[in-house]
Amino acid sequence: MINQLILFIINIIKTIYGTIIFFTFLILQKFNLVEKFLDIFNIYGNIENLEKYYHFKKNNTEGLAVFNHVSILDGLLLLTQFKEPLSFLVSENILVTLCKNFIQNSNGIIINKNENTTKKIIEISSNRKKNDPILFIAPSGVVGMIQKNKYKISKFKTGAFASLKPILPIIIKYNPYYKEPKEIFTSLIHIITNTNNLNYKIKVLDPIYPEENDTIENFRDKVYEIMNKEKNKLTVDKIEKKDNPISLFILINILLLLSYLLFTNTIQYSQVILITIICCIILYFKNTHYIYNYLYSNIIYFYTLIILIYSLKNNNYMLFIQSILCIILYKLCQK
């Protein structure tokens, strides 16, 4: 019961923190924030053959990139691994509405039922300047996220292949196997409440060029077969979040406590004892449950926030400065 209550509080904190990080990214467009957002929800991965993307982008003025759509996370994974603005073709939903300005600034296309989407795709894929953003399309659309068979990518539509221009195939694979819930809200809840690591790998394949006698359907099927085959061969690396050394955890907590003791006139020793007990409990139960691992990684930030609020409330600027220095030291030692 206590664990469930603590887990509920942690999920609320993760949601608030994740929301702040997400909207900060939309405003500042700093791609390291995307990685931080994924880290909050235990999502870790890497990319293979990234150089093929840059080679295609530099040497082709025609064509586009296609990827297998698995989850609402896919766009964030691509952004964090490519680390530059990407142009997406997306259908409108609540998340796309929130990201509308970012998508438009990246020359993305938001599907409008009243417009000819295929015509736009042909125009963009046929008139791209070197080093301009490549248009990323999930040929299976949103339906592709509802996978009926874990060994088969959902069938592709023809729109992405209508121009018969070069295609850069990109594979996304999760481990453990990830099946997207049908509703966006359910998907978000699933991501927020997940306590296990979700690993992924992105692989950039060799470009595929249409042959002289290819029809749109033949070209689509050729790309589909290659991507499906490569997806099943792809192995996802198991990536664990690196824990900070226990010595660093103890050192920063001691420094925060000393800061409080040295720069506070009215010391509440009961609070000092309570904090010490909490730290000891976290250290003792570390690696036994997700809750304690989460607290081990984040309790220093919580303590610092409490001390900062306390110091500002009491006009104790020396304590405020000392706390800031402690957290800066903590971040520097993590690198």
Side-chain angles (χ1 to χ4, degrees), residues 252 255-257 259-260 263 300 303-311 316-330:
I252 300 301
L255 288 176
L256 285 170
L257 285 175
S259 299
Y260 173 73
F263 296 103
I300 288 173
Y303 285 163
T304 304
L305 180 61
I306 291 169
I307 292 173
L308 290 175
I309 293 171
Y310 171 84
S311 59
N316 190 337
Y317 300 114
M318 285 300 296
L319 178 60
F320 181 87
I321 293 169
Q322 191 67 23
S323 303
I324 293 291
L325 291 175
C326 285
I327 206 68
I328 290 173
L329 176 63
Y330 182 56

Side-chain angles (χ1 to χ4, degrees), residues 256-270:
L256 285 170
L257 285 175
L258 285 175
S259 299
Y260 173 73
L261 293 171
L262 292 172
F263 296 103
T264 305
N265 295 324
T266 55
I267 298 172
Q268 300 289 330
Y269 287 100
S270 59

Side-chain angles (χ1 to χ4, degrees), residues 33-207:
L33 292 174
V34 182
E35 190 172 355
K36 181 63 180 175
F37 176 85
L38 295 172
D39 179 73
I40 293 169
F41 301 107
N42 316 308
I43 302 164
Y44 309 102
N46 53 22
I47 189 167
E48 189 175 318
N49 300 334
L50 181 58
E51 71 281 355
K52 292 181 180 180
Y53 164 77
Y54 291 113
H55 186 270
F56 184 86
K57 182 179 177 182
K58 181 180 177 181
N59 294 286
N60 288 274
T61 56
E62 296 180 327
L64 46 84
V66 300
F67 64 96
N68 58 309
H69 204 0
V70 185
S71 161
I72 58 172
L73 293 167
D74 294 345
L76 294 176
L77 305 189
L78 292 167
L79 284 170
T80 195
Q81 292 299 334
F82 287 94
K83 290 182 171 57
E84 65 177 21
L86 302 177
S87 178
F88 289 102
L89 175 75
V90 293
S91 55
E92 192 152 11
N93 57 44
I94 186 169
L95 292 177
V96 170
T97 302
L98 291 173
C99 305
K100 193 169 184 178
N101 288 337
F102 175 77
I103 293 168
Q104 290 175 339
N105 291 338
S106 302
N107 297 320
I109 301 174
I110 299 175
I111 296 175
N112 187 324
K113 293 180 180 179
N114 300 320
E115 291 182 334
N116 188 328
T117 306
T118 302
K119 184 179 177 182
K120 271 195 170 184
I121 293 172
I122 293 173
E123 182 182 340
I124 291 174
S125 63
S126 302
N127 297 287
R128 191 184 66 82
K129 295 178 181 178
K130 286 184 180 180
N131 290 318
D132 272 2
I134 299 173
L135 182 63
F136 278 65
I137 297 179
S140 56
V142 177
V143 178
M145 292 192 290
I146 306 170
Q147 299 177 87
K148 296 178 181 179
N149 187 331
K150 67 183 289 186
Y151 298 107
K152 284 190 176 181
I153 297 171
S154 298
K155 288 295 182 182
F156 289 170
K157 300 174 185 177
T158 56
F161 310 93
S163 63
L164 288 174
K165 299 298 181 185
I167 294 290
L168 183 69
I170 295 171
I171 302 293
I172 301 174
K173 188 173 183 178
Y174 292 86
N175 184 33
Y177 171 66
Y178 183 83
K179 191 170 183 179
E180 182 82 357
K182 292 184 179 181
E183 300 293 330
I184 288 181
F185 181 74
T186 308
S187 298
L188 293 173
I189 295 296
H190 178 76
I191 291 166
I192 291 167
T193 57
N194 174 49
T195 59
N196 299 313
N197 283 356
L198 179 62
N199 291 135
Y200 68 88
K201 175 169 271 191
I202 297 171
K203 183 176 182 179
V204 183
L205 306 182
D206 291 322

